[in-house]
């Protein structure tokens, strides 16, 4: 594929509401929102897996990027990628959710066999690490071929996106407010004039004071 054609395709996908609009921005809230939607779906369909991943401290956005942003380029062997891309281009983003649920279904036994302290082991399973699932393993084809069995409607995904988008927006407001408070305090501290005989505040004491105020 010529470079200019590949670039046009990438830009088209990143601008397409049906596919992955905003996923490839520097700070992609659309991707984070959809990772949260995926987490909701896992909680609904695989509650034990969801509890394990939460206990292990594995946030969905930390590993779903391999599937959603990277489009499984480093997850699936080429023979399975062709089918993955064909279904993704045909169905749009909803196929990414179907694929992710199919992957969790096919790896749930392996995931649940891990302890919550084995984060690296859980990550290896979720990214279909070649050391566990070499290219000639049948799991790749099975995940892709059975993804279409999931009954997910665009209306349901839109509903979850609206709910998780609101949660994300509220979280970002709190983060910006906290950052603004800290910046204001830093500016205020810079304006304080100390007398020659007043001792400078110990840095550790200042950190403890700021933490206590928040």
């Amino acid at each position: 594929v010529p470079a200019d054609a590949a670039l046009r395709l990438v830009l088209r996908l990143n601008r397409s509401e049906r596919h992955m609009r905003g996923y490839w921005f520097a700070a992609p809230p659309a991707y984070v929102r959809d990772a949260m939607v995926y987490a909701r779906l896992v909680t609904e369909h695989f509650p034990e897996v969801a509890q394990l991943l939460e206990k292990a401290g594995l946030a969905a956005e930390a590993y779903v990027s391999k599937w959603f942003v990277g489009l499984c380029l480093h997850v699936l062997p080429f023979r399975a990628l062709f089918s993955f891309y064909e279904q993704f281009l045909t169905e749009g983003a909803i196929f990414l959710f179907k694929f992710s649920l199919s992957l969790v279904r096919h790896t749930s036994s392996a995931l649940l066999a891990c302890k919550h302290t084995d984060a690296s082991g859980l990550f290896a399973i979720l990214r279909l690490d070649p050391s566990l699932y070499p290219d000639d393993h049948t799991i790749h084809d099975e995940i892709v071929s059975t993804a279409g069995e999931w009954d997910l409607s665009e209306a349901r995904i839109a509903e979850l996106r609206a709910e998780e988008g609101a949660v994300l927006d509220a979280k970002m407001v709190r983060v910006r407010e906290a950052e603004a408070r800290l910046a204001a305090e830093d500016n205020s501290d810079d304006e304080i004039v100390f007398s020659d005989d007043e001792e400078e505040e110990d840095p550790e004491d200042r950190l403890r004071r700021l933490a206590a105020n928040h």
Side-chain angles (χ1 to χ4, degrees):
V1 179
D4 59 338
L7 178 59
R8 286 197 301 271
L9 175 60
V10 167
L11 292 175
R12 179 79 175 269
L13 289 174
N14 197 46
R15 295 167 179 167
S16 171
E17 292 286 357
R18 180 173 173 76
H19 293 89
M20 50 195 305
R21 181 175 177 82
Y23 275 22
W24 290 333
F25 290 159
Y31 160 68
V32 176
R33 176 207 61 203
D34 281 359
M36 295 166 67
V37 170
Y38 151 80
R40 281 277 299 277
L41 291 170
V42 174
T43 300
E44 292 177 7
H45 296 283
F46 305 99
E48 291 184 7
V49 172
Q51 291 173 10
L52 172 65
L53 297 177
E54 182 179 3
K55 192 173 183 181
L58 300 187
E61 55 267 30
Y63 61 89
V64 176
S65 59
K66 291 281 187 179
W67 317 331
F68 286 21
V69 179
L71 293 178
C72 289
L73 183 62
H74 299 293
V75 176
L76 298 173
F78 279 116
R79 69 172 191 281
L81 273 175
F82 288 115
S83 179
F84 174 91
Y85 290 148
E86 181 179 8
Q87 294 182 72
F88 167 65
L89 292 173
T90 301
E91 296 188 47
I94 194 169
F95 175 72
L96 297 178
F97 296 107
K98 293 180 179 180
F99 170 84
S100 63
L101 290 176
S102 183
L103 188 149
V104 173
R105 178 170 65 183
H106 282 84
T107 60
S108 59
S109 295
L111 290 169
L112 293 174
C114 293
K115 295 182 178 179
H116 73 274
T117 53
D118 186 13
S120 62
L122 292 168
F123 269 129
I125 295 169
L126 290 166
R127 66 172 178 263
L128 300 181
D129 193 282
S131 64
L132 301 175
Y133 307 103
D135 285 355
D136 60 355
H137 201 291
T138 60
I139 192 171
H140 309 96
D141 303 282
E142 293 169 354
I143 291 171
V144 176
S145 64
T146 59
E149 296 175 1
W150 287 93
D151 184 18
L152 290 178
S153 67
E154 293 188 4
R156 176 58 175 156
I157 295 301
E159 177 185 9
L160 290 174
R161 278 177 163 175
E163 293 175 1
E164 295 306 317
V167 172
L168 179 60
D169 289 344
K171 186 181 298 184
M172 293 307 299
V173 168
R174 292 195 297 271
V175 168
R176 285 191 288 268
E177 289 175 345
E179 290 175 343
R181 287 196 301 270
L182 289 174
E185 289 183 358
D186 286 341
N187 291 336
S188 175
D189 288 347
D190 290 342
E191 295 173 359
I192 296 176
V193 177
F194 296 97
S195 63
D196 293 338
D197 58 348
E198 185 176 3
E199 295 184 1
E200 183 178 353
E201 183 179 18
D202 183 82
E204 292 188 3
D205 291 339
R206 181 174 182 273
L207 287 174
R208 282 193 289 270
R209 175 174 61 77
L210 290 175
N213 291 336
H214 297 287

